[in-house]
Structures are given as C-alpha cells and as structure tokens.
Amino acid sequence: MKHKIILDCDPGHDDAIAILLAAHHPEIDLLAITTVAGNQSVEKTTRNALKICTLANIRHVPIAMGMERPLVRPARHAADIHGESGLDGPHIPEPDIALSPMHGVDLLIQLLLASEGDITLVPTGPLTNIASAIKLEPAIVPKIKAISLMGGAIGVGNINESSEFNIWADPEAAAIVFNCGCPITMVPLEVTHQALATPEIVARLRAAQQPVATFAADLLVFFAETYHHVFGFEAPPVHDPCAVAAVIDPSIIQGKLMHVAIETVSELSAGRTVCDIYGTSGKPPQVRVGYALAVERFWEMVISTLLSYS
Ligand code: RIB
Ligand code: CA
C-alpha cells in the first residue's frame, strides 16, 4: 500500500530534491504540493515548485500557494543559502503547469477532511500552513495519519546558536503543530547533517546523463557553494528529502520518543525545539525525534528514484 502524503515546502534546493523523491518513489502517492514562505517569498517558492515539476514532468500533482508570512512574526528568508530566486544555480525553464486556484491551506483542509485518515503530512519549511489549517479547521487533526517534518535540532541550531531555520521562521506555528496531538516524527539537523551531498554523490547523479539527475546535480553544486561559504561545510546537508525518506522507510532514521517544547518567548532562543531527551520534564513524550540516519540506504533511495525519471 502506498503512503499518501502532502508535501508542504518552501523550495529551496533541498525541498526540490524532496519533491523529486516524493513524486516518483514507488511507495509514495503524492496527493498535493503546498508552498509556504520560508527560504524565499511564497511567490518565489511557489514559482520554484512549478518550475521543478515542469522540468521533471510531474503533472499529476496539484500545486497550491500557501501562507505568505508567519502567524505573528515578519517573514524572514534564507537568500544567503538559496539565492534571490530561492532556487539559484541551474537555468530552469519557465513553468507551464497551472497553479491550483485553491489556497494551500484550503487544499490541505479539503484533502484531509475528505480522506480516510490515511494522509501523512510532510512539511519541509516553516509550519505556517499546517498551523493555519489546524486553527481554521480543527476537525482535520484526527484526520492526519502522521506528520513527518524536517525541522528543529536536539542541540545547536543553524540560523543561530539555538534554532533551526524552519522552526525559527515561525515558532508560534511550530508550537501549534507540536502540540496538536498527531503522531509526529521530527527530522532534526542531527539527522540531516548526515545526509551530505558529497562530490561522489553528485558524480553518481551526473554519470547517469539524464536531465532530472543532472538538474539535481546542478542544484547540489550551487547548494554546496553557499553552504561552504556560510557554514564552512565541505558538502551540503540535503535536509528535506530525509523527512520523505522517513515516511518511505521509518527504519532509515533511528529515533527516540520524547517531549518536545517550542520556545516562543525568549529573544535569545525563540524557535528552539526543547527536547526532553532524559524525560526529566515529566511532560508526556509526543514526538519521535530522529538522531541517526542510515546514510547509504538514504542515498540509494534518493539516487535510484532520481534516476528513475525517464
Ligand atoms: O534548516 C534547514 C531547513 O531550512 C530546510 O528545510 C531548508 O530548505 C530550509 O527551509
Ligand atoms: Ca525547506
């Protein structure tokens, strides 16, 4: 039985790889792509989703634009990593896919309410759309099978010492989602920093001499340049496909159930995922927090799927 998912994303170089994985993996039924402000404005992340799906000939998946700014804070983007377009690097043809006329939040609500409760949400950007859908229509909560999200950190953040970008960008939204009561798998930086797109990985993609694999390789070359410039990484961590991989094969990530709280008050650490690793808080554990990735299996899954595009 395929896993039905909705990918909520802010493309974004690593979101692009997550889209390509989710749209073509044989065990995933990608019901929709919803976009959100994050790496860039929602106009740009949406345009990027349309361009990625045009290039890869992904035409069976509705794409709907979501929230243009966080619930209460101003929008803050990541142009230093993803560029002014949000998908700088390779030339990508103009999109020829029509955007859904529905708002992304409305599409999330419609699909979830109409479902048998068998849809997994896979957010790979700020959680603004998911939180907005829950606020607008709380009846969706029991309809969400599970949430597999890329975000947070057990320890050090990336946007600052405390916080990971997706949670930092909209802490209030994250607090709503983490407390909604659905089964949540959190794929934090400790996992995604093991998913490094090394030159060997890029070479394997390029060797196939196939357009989608070459596109992914070109994206990763740009991503490597910015990640090296900003963080000094020798190879970029491809964060977002890890959240898709965790749906396809939960054993690809080692995790532990624990309570996770979201800091929304502190100026110093707003957006921190406060992970109760030792259970000392006395609060009920509600999140499976990943801490290790089966790296070889992850790349086999990603590369084999990217090579499956004709
Ligand atoms: O911190 C990494 C996350 O922030 C990834 O989802 C990346 O695409 C950016 O959105
Ligand atoms: Ca993202």
Side-chain angles (χ1 to χ4, degrees), residues 217-244:
D218 292 343
L219 285 176
L220 293 172
V221 166
F222 178 88
F223 202 37
E225 288 165 5
T226 56
Y227 244 89
H228 181 71
H229 178 70
V230 173
F231 293 104
F233 276 52
E234 288 309 313
V238 189
H239 307 278
D240 296 332
C242 296
V244 177

PDB file of all heavy atoms in Angstrom, residues 217-244:
ATOM      1  N   ALA A 217      21.967  17.376  -9.708  1.00  0.00           N
ATOM      2  CA  ALA A 217      23.413  17.578  -9.512  1.00  0.00           C
ATOM      3  C   ALA A 217      23.761  19.061  -9.573  1.00  0.00           C
ATOM      4  O   ALA A 217      24.512  19.579  -8.741  1.00  0.00           O
ATOM      5  CB  ALA A 217      24.196  16.808 -10.566  1.00  0.00           C
ATOM      6  N   ASP A 218      23.173  19.763 -10.530  1.00  0.00           N
ATOM      7  CA  ASP A 218      23.437  21.207 -10.658  1.00  0.00           C
ATOM      8  C   ASP A 218      22.934  21.977  -9.432  1.00  0.00           C
ATOM      9  O   ASP A 218      23.605  22.899  -8.943  1.00  0.00           O
ATOM     10  CB  ASP A 218      22.764  21.762 -11.921  1.00  0.00           C
ATOM     11  CG  ASP A 218      23.388  21.240 -13.199  1.00  0.00           C
ATOM     12  OD1 ASP A 218      24.535  20.722 -13.130  1.00  0.00           O
ATOM     13  OD2 ASP A 218      22.739  21.330 -14.260  1.00  0.00           O
ATOM     14  N   LEU A 219      21.773  21.593  -8.926  1.00  0.00           N
ATOM     15  CA  LEU A 219      21.251  22.225  -7.702  1.00  0.00           C
ATOM     16  C   LEU A 219      22.214  22.011  -6.539  1.00  0.00           C
ATOM     17  O   LEU A 219      22.519  22.930  -5.766  1.00  0.00           O
ATOM     18  CB  LEU A 219      19.883  21.632  -7.327  1.00  0.00           C
ATOM     19  CG  LEU A 219      18.667  22.037  -8.143  1.00  0.00           C
ATOM     20  CD1 LEU A 219      17.445  21.242  -7.655  1.00  0.00           C
ATOM     21  CD2 LEU A 219      18.394  23.533  -8.060  1.00  0.00           C
ATOM     22  N   LEU A 220      22.727  20.784  -6.430  1.00  0.00           N
ATOM     23  CA  LEU A 220      23.593  20.437  -5.296  1.00  0.00           C
ATOM     24  C   LEU A 220      24.935  21.146  -5.383  1.00  0.00           C
ATOM     25  O   LEU A 220      25.538  21.483  -4.351  1.00  0.00           O
ATOM     26  CB  LEU A 220      23.769  18.925  -5.230  1.00  0.00           C
ATOM     27  CG  LEU A 220      22.486  18.150  -4.876  1.00  0.00           C
ATOM     28  CD1 LEU A 220      22.703  16.642  -5.013  1.00  0.00           C
ATOM     29  CD2 LEU A 220      22.003  18.506  -3.477  1.00  0.00           C
ATOM     30  N   VAL A 221      25.397  21.425  -6.607  1.00  0.00           N
ATOM     31  CA  VAL A 221      26.665  22.167  -6.767  1.00  0.00           C
ATOM     32  C   VAL A 221      26.499  23.582  -6.232  1.00  0.00           C
ATOM     33  O   VAL A 221      27.331  24.084  -5.469  1.00  0.00           O
ATOM     34  CB  VAL A 221      27.101  22.186  -8.246  1.00  0.00           C
ATOM     35  CG1 VAL A 221      28.204  23.219  -8.476  1.00  0.00           C
ATOM     36  CG2 VAL A 221      27.581  20.793  -8.660  1.00  0.00           C
ATOM     37  N   PHE A 222      25.375  24.232  -6.566  1.00  0.00           N
ATOM     38  CA  PHE A 222      25.118  25.586  -6.037  1.00  0.00           C
ATOM     39  C   PHE A 222      24.968  25.533  -4.511  1.00  0.00           C
ATOM     40  O   PHE A 222      25.553  26.330  -3.776  1.00  0.00           O
ATOM     41  CB  PHE A 222      23.855  26.181  -6.651  1.00  0.00           C
ATOM     42  CG  PHE A 222      23.517  27.549  -6.098  1.00  0.00           C
ATOM     43  CD1 PHE A 222      24.049  28.701  -6.678  1.00  0.00           C
ATOM     44  CD2 PHE A 222      22.706  27.680  -4.981  1.00  0.00           C
ATOM     45  CE1 PHE A 222      23.773  29.958  -6.147  1.00  0.00           C
ATOM     46  CE2 PHE A 222      22.430  28.943  -4.441  1.00  0.00           C
ATOM     47  CZ  PHE A 222      22.964  30.071  -5.027  1.00  0.00           C
ATOM     48  N   PHE A 223      24.176  24.555  -4.059  1.00  0.00           N
ATOM     49  CA  PHE A 223      23.905  24.396  -2.616  1.00  0.00           C
ATOM     50  C   PHE A 223      25.227  24.200  -1.861  1.00  0.00           C
ATOM     51  O   PHE A 223      25.437  24.742  -0.774  1.00  0.00           O
ATOM     52  CB  PHE A 223      22.983  23.183  -2.449  1.00  0.00           C
ATOM     53  CG  PHE A 223      22.182  23.143  -1.177  1.00  0.00           C
ATOM     54  CD1 PHE A 223      21.657  24.293  -0.597  1.00  0.00           C
ATOM     55  CD2 PHE A 223      21.941  21.922  -0.546  1.00  0.00           C
ATOM     56  CE1 PHE A 223      20.909  24.229   0.577  1.00  0.00           C
ATOM     57  CE2 PHE A 223      21.192  21.847   0.625  1.00  0.00           C
ATOM     58  CZ  PHE A 223      20.676  23.004   1.182  1.00  0.00           C
ATOM     59  N   ALA A 224      26.150  23.457  -2.477  1.00  0.00           N
ATOM     60  CA  ALA A 224      27.460  23.203  -1.842  1.00  0.00           C
ATOM     61  C   ALA A 224      28.248  24.508  -1.704  1.00  0.00           C
ATOM     62  O   ALA A 224      28.890  24.764  -0.676  1.00  0.00           O
ATOM     63  CB  ALA A 224      28.248  22.189  -2.657  1.00  0.00           C
ATOM     64  N   GLU A 225      28.169  25.354  -2.729  1.00  0.00           N
ATOM     65  CA  GLU A 225      28.914  26.623  -2.702  1.00  0.00           C
ATOM     66  C   GLU A 225      28.420  27.527  -1.574  1.00  0.00           C
ATOM     67  O   GLU A 225      29.204  28.057  -0.782  1.00  0.00           O
ATOM     68  CB  GLU A 225      28.772  27.345  -4.050  1.00  0.00           C
ATOM     69  CG  GLU A 225      29.558  26.688  -5.188  1.00  0.00           C
ATOM     70  CD  GLU A 225      29.101  27.191  -6.552  1.00  0.00           C
ATOM     71  OE1 GLU A 225      28.245  28.120  -6.604  1.00  0.00           O
ATOM     72  OE2 GLU A 225      29.576  26.649  -7.566  1.00  0.00           O
ATOM     73  N   THR A 226      27.094  27.657  -1.458  1.00  0.00           N
ATOM     74  CA  THR A 226      26.568  28.565  -0.425  1.00  0.00           C
ATOM     75  C   THR A 226      26.774  27.968   0.971  1.00  0.00           C
ATOM     76  O   THR A 226      27.108  28.682   1.917  1.00  0.00           O
ATOM     77  CB  THR A 226      25.066  28.854  -0.641  1.00  0.00           C
ATOM     78  OG1 THR A 226      24.332  27.628  -0.690  1.00  0.00           O
ATOM     79  CG2 THR A 226      24.853  29.658  -1.917  1.00  0.00           C
ATOM     80  N   TYR A 227      26.608  26.646   1.093  1.00  0.00           N
ATOM     81  CA  TYR A 227      26.782  26.037   2.409  1.00  0.00           C
ATOM     82  C   TYR A 227      28.243  26.127   2.868  1.00  0.00           C
ATOM     83  O   TYR A 227      28.533  26.296   4.059  1.00  0.00           O
ATOM     84  CB  TYR A 227      26.292  24.583   2.411  1.00  0.00           C
ATOM     85  CG  TYR A 227      25.109  24.392   3.346  1.00  0.00           C
ATOM     86  CD1 TYR A 227      23.808  24.569   2.917  1.00  0.00           C
ATOM     87  CD2 TYR A 227      25.311  24.088   4.702  1.00  0.00           C
ATOM     88  CE1 TYR A 227      22.731  24.441   3.787  1.00  0.00           C
ATOM     89  CE2 TYR A 227      24.243  23.966   5.570  1.00  0.00           C
ATOM     90  CZ  TYR A 227      22.955  24.145   5.109  1.00  0.00           C
ATOM     91  OH  TYR A 227      21.900  24.023   5.978  1.00  0.00           O
ATOM     92  N   HIS A 228      29.152  26.032   1.882  1.00  0.00           N
ATOM     93  CA  HIS A 228      30.566  26.169   2.260  1.00  0.00           C
ATOM     94  C   HIS A 228      30.869  27.619   2.665  1.00  0.00           C
ATOM     95  O   HIS A 228      31.506  27.881   3.675  1.00  0.00           O
ATOM     96  CB  HIS A 228      31.467  25.768   1.085  1.00  0.00           C
ATOM     97  CG  HIS A 228      32.927  25.870   1.411  1.00  0.00           C
ATOM     98  ND1 HIS A 228      33.563  24.992   2.275  1.00  0.00           N
ATOM     99  CD2 HIS A 228      33.881  26.763   1.024  1.00  0.00           C
ATOM    100  CE1 HIS A 228      34.825  25.330   2.412  1.00  0.00           C
ATOM    101  NE2 HIS A 228      35.050  26.416   1.663  1.00  0.00           N
ATOM    102  N   HIS A 229      30.305  28.553   1.897  1.00  0.00           N
ATOM    103  CA  HIS A 229      30.557  29.990   2.166  1.00  0.00           C
ATOM    104  C   HIS A 229      29.978  30.405   3.521  1.00  0.00           C
ATOM    105  O   HIS A 229      30.624  31.112   4.297  1.00  0.00           O
ATOM    106  CB  HIS A 229      29.926  30.838   1.048  1.00  0.00           C
ATOM    107  CG  HIS A 229      30.076  32.301   1.249  1.00  0.00           C
ATOM    108  ND1 HIS A 229      31.302  32.948   1.135  1.00  0.00           N
ATOM    109  CD2 HIS A 229      29.178  33.275   1.594  1.00  0.00           C
ATOM    110  CE1 HIS A 229      31.140  34.247   1.377  1.00  0.00           C
ATOM    111  NE2 HIS A 229      29.864  34.464   1.665  1.00  0.00           N
ATOM    112  N   VAL A 230      28.770  29.940   3.812  1.00  0.00           N
ATOM    113  CA  VAL A 230      28.089  30.387   5.050  1.00  0.00           C
ATOM    114  C   VAL A 230      28.524  29.578   6.276  1.00  0.00           C
ATOM    115  O   VAL A 230      28.781  30.130   7.345  1.00  0.00           O
ATOM    116  CB  VAL A 230      26.551  30.289   4.879  1.00  0.00           C
ATOM    117  CG1 VAL A 230      25.827  30.582   6.189  1.00  0.00           C
ATOM    118  CG2 VAL A 230      26.084  31.231   3.767  1.00  0.00           C
ATOM    119  N   PHE A 231      28.627  28.244   6.094  1.00  0.00           N
ATOM    120  CA  PHE A 231      28.853  27.384   7.263  1.00  0.00           C
ATOM    121  C   PHE A 231      30.215  26.690   7.256  1.00  0.00           C
ATOM    122  O   PHE A 231      30.572  26.032   8.228  1.00  0.00           O
ATOM    123  CB  PHE A 231      27.757  26.304   7.341  1.00  0.00           C
ATOM    124  CG  PHE A 231      26.376  26.837   7.629  1.00  0.00           C
ATOM    125  CD1 PHE A 231      25.428  26.924   6.623  1.00  0.00           C
ATOM    126  CD2 PHE A 231      26.020  27.278   8.906  1.00  0.00           C
ATOM    127  CE1 PHE A 231      24.154  27.416   6.873  1.00  0.00           C
ATOM    128  CE2 PHE A 231      24.746  27.769   9.167  1.00  0.00           C
ATOM    129  CZ  PHE A 231      23.811  27.839   8.146  1.00  0.00           C
ATOM    130  N   GLY A 232      30.910  26.761   6.107  1.00  0.00           N
ATOM    131  CA  GLY A 232      32.202  26.074   6.035  1.00  0.00           C
ATOM    132  C   GLY A 232      32.081  24.587   5.802  1.00  0.00           C
ATOM    133  O   GLY A 232      33.055  23.841   5.922  1.00  0.00           O
ATOM    134  N   PHE A 233      30.892  24.106   5.472  1.00  0.00           N
ATOM    135  CA  PHE A 233      30.699  22.673   5.197  1.00  0.00           C
ATOM    136  C   PHE A 233      31.472  22.283   3.932  1.00  0.00           C
ATOM    137  O   PHE A 233      31.508  23.036   2.955  1.00  0.00           O
ATOM    138  CB  PHE A 233      29.209  22.368   4.967  1.00  0.00           C
ATOM    139  CG  PHE A 233      28.401  22.147   6.223  1.00  0.00           C
ATOM    140  CD1 PHE A 233      28.422  23.073   7.259  1.00  0.00           C
ATOM    141  CD2 PHE A 233      27.607  21.015   6.364  1.00  0.00           C
ATOM    142  CE1 PHE A 233      27.660  22.884   8.401  1.00  0.00           C
ATOM    143  CE2 PHE A 233      26.843  20.812   7.508  1.00  0.00           C
ATOM    144  CZ  PHE A 233      26.863  21.752   8.535  1.00  0.00           C
ATOM    145  N   GLU A 234      32.064  21.098   3.947  1.00  0.00           N
ATOM    146  CA  GLU A 234      32.724  20.560   2.751  1.00  0.00           C
ATOM    147  C   GLU A 234      31.688  20.031   1.758  1.00  0.00           C
ATOM    148  O   GLU A 234      31.929  19.964   0.569  1.00  0.00           O
ATOM    149  CB  GLU A 234      33.699  19.450   3.145  1.00  0.00           C
ATOM    150  CG  GLU A 234      34.951  19.976   3.858  1.00  0.00           C
ATOM    151  CD  GLU A 234      35.612  21.117   3.081  1.00  0.00           C
ATOM    152  OE1 GLU A 234      35.797  20.981   1.856  1.00  0.00           O
ATOM    153  OE2 GLU A 234      35.885  22.171   3.701  1.00  0.00           O
ATOM    154  N   ALA A 235      30.515  19.618   2.289  1.00  0.00           N
ATOM    155  CA  ALA A 235      29.433  19.143   1.408  1.00  0.00           C
ATOM    156  C   ALA A 235      28.106  19.564   2.051  1.00  0.00           C
ATOM    157  O   ALA A 235      28.000  19.597   3.281  1.00  0.00           O
ATOM    158  CB  ALA A 235      29.488  17.628   1.250  1.00  0.00           C
ATOM    159  N   PRO A 236      27.091  19.898   1.261  1.00  0.00           N
ATOM    160  CA  PRO A 236      25.848  20.428   1.844  1.00  0.00           C
ATOM    161  C   PRO A 236      24.952  19.324   2.407  1.00  0.00           C
ATOM    162  O   PRO A 236      24.804  18.264   1.791  1.00  0.00           O
ATOM    163  CB  PRO A 236      25.172  21.107   0.655  1.00  0.00           C
ATOM    164  CG  PRO A 236      25.634  20.322  -0.533  1.00  0.00           C
ATOM    165  CD  PRO A 236      27.045  19.884  -0.217  1.00  0.00           C
ATOM    166  N   PRO A 237      24.328  19.563   3.549  1.00  0.00           N
ATOM    167  CA  PRO A 237      23.341  18.610   4.069  1.00  0.00           C
ATOM    168  C   PRO A 237      22.019  18.771   3.329  1.00  0.00           C
ATOM    169  O   PRO A 237      21.455  19.866   3.267  1.00  0.00           O
ATOM    170  CB  PRO A 237      23.195  19.026   5.531  1.00  0.00           C
ATOM    171  CG  PRO A 237      23.529  20.483   5.546  1.00  0.00           C
ATOM    172  CD  PRO A 237      24.490  20.726   4.423  1.00  0.00           C
ATOM    173  N   VAL A 238      21.528  17.676   2.757  1.00  0.00           N
ATOM    174  CA  VAL A 238      20.281  17.750   1.984  1.00  0.00           C
ATOM    175  C   VAL A 238      19.142  17.405   2.941  1.00  0.00           C
ATOM    176  O   VAL A 238      18.720  16.257   3.070  1.00  0.00           O
ATOM    177  CB  VAL A 238      20.347  16.780   0.787  1.00  0.00           C
ATOM    178  CG1 VAL A 238      19.174  16.999  -0.151  1.00  0.00           C
ATOM    179  CG2 VAL A 238      21.647  16.995   0.028  1.00  0.00           C
ATOM    180  N   HIS A 239      18.654  18.417   3.625  1.00  0.00           N
ATOM    181  CA  HIS A 239      17.745  18.240   4.758  1.00  0.00           C
ATOM    182  C   HIS A 239      16.405  17.584   4.385  1.00  0.00           C
ATOM    183  O   HIS A 239      16.036  16.562   4.947  1.00  0.00           O
ATOM    184  CB  HIS A 239      17.425  19.608   5.386  1.00  0.00           C
ATOM    185  CG  HIS A 239      18.601  20.438   5.754  1.00  0.00           C
ATOM    186  ND1 HIS A 239      19.313  20.264   6.928  1.00  0.00           N
ATOM    187  CD2 HIS A 239      19.191  21.467   5.100  1.00  0.00           C
ATOM    188  CE1 HIS A 239      20.285  21.166   6.988  1.00  0.00           C
ATOM    189  NE2 HIS A 239      20.243  21.902   5.893  1.00  0.00           N
ATOM    190  N   ASP A 240      15.690  18.190   3.455  1.00  0.00           N
ATOM    191  CA  ASP A 240      14.269  17.890   3.303  1.00  0.00           C
ATOM    192  C   ASP A 240      13.919  16.492   2.812  1.00  0.00           C
ATOM    193  O   ASP A 240      12.940  15.907   3.302  1.00  0.00           O
ATOM    194  CB  ASP A 240      13.621  18.953   2.408  1.00  0.00           C
ATOM    195  CG  ASP A 240      13.687  20.329   3.062  1.00  0.00           C
ATOM    196  OD1 ASP A 240      13.717  20.397   4.309  1.00  0.00           O
ATOM    197  OD2 ASP A 240      13.706  21.329   2.340  1.00  0.00           O
ATOM    198  N   PRO A 241      14.680  15.904   1.887  1.00  0.00           N
ATOM    199  CA  PRO A 241      14.305  14.533   1.498  1.00  0.00           C
ATOM    200  C   PRO A 241      14.386  13.527   2.653  1.00  0.00           C
ATOM    201  O   PRO A 241      13.748  12.474   2.588  1.00  0.00           O
ATOM    202  CB  PRO A 241      15.298  14.183   0.388  1.00  0.00           C
ATOM    203  CG  PRO A 241      16.307  15.258   0.359  1.00  0.00           C
ATOM    204  CD  PRO A 241      15.758  16.439   1.055  1.00  0.00           C
ATOM    205  N   CYS A 242      15.090  13.872   3.710  1.00  0.00           N
ATOM    206  CA  CYS A 242      15.149  12.972   4.884  1.00  0.00           C
ATOM    207  C   CYS A 242      13.756  12.787   5.490  1.00  0.00           C
ATOM    208  O   CYS A 242      13.416  11.697   5.974  1.00  0.00           O
ATOM    209  CB  CYS A 242      16.105  13.520   5.935  1.00  0.00           C
ATOM    210  SG  CYS A 242      17.832  13.609   5.410  1.00  0.00           S
ATOM    211  N   ALA A 243      12.942  13.848   5.451  1.00  0.00           N
ATOM    212  CA  ALA A 243      11.579  13.747   6.015  1.00  0.00           C
ATOM    213  C   ALA A 243      10.694  12.867   5.138  1.00  0.00           C
ATOM    214  O   ALA A 243       9.801  12.177   5.639  1.00  0.00           O
ATOM    215  CB  ALA A 243      10.967  15.139   6.159  1.00  0.00           C
ATOM    216  N   VAL A 244      10.931  12.875   3.826  1.00  0.00           N
ATOM    217  CA  VAL A 244      10.188  11.983   2.915  1.00  0.00           C
ATOM    218  C   VAL A 244      10.676  10.545   3.109  1.00  0.00           C
ATOM    219  O   VAL A 244       9.874   9.611   3.215  1.00  0.00           O
ATOM    220  CB  VAL A 244      10.380  12.427   1.452  1.00  0.00           C
ATOM    221  CG1 VAL A 244       9.669  11.466   0.498  1.00  0.00           C
ATOM    222  CG2 VAL A 244       9.884  13.859   1.239  1.00  0.00           C
TER     223      VAL A 244
END
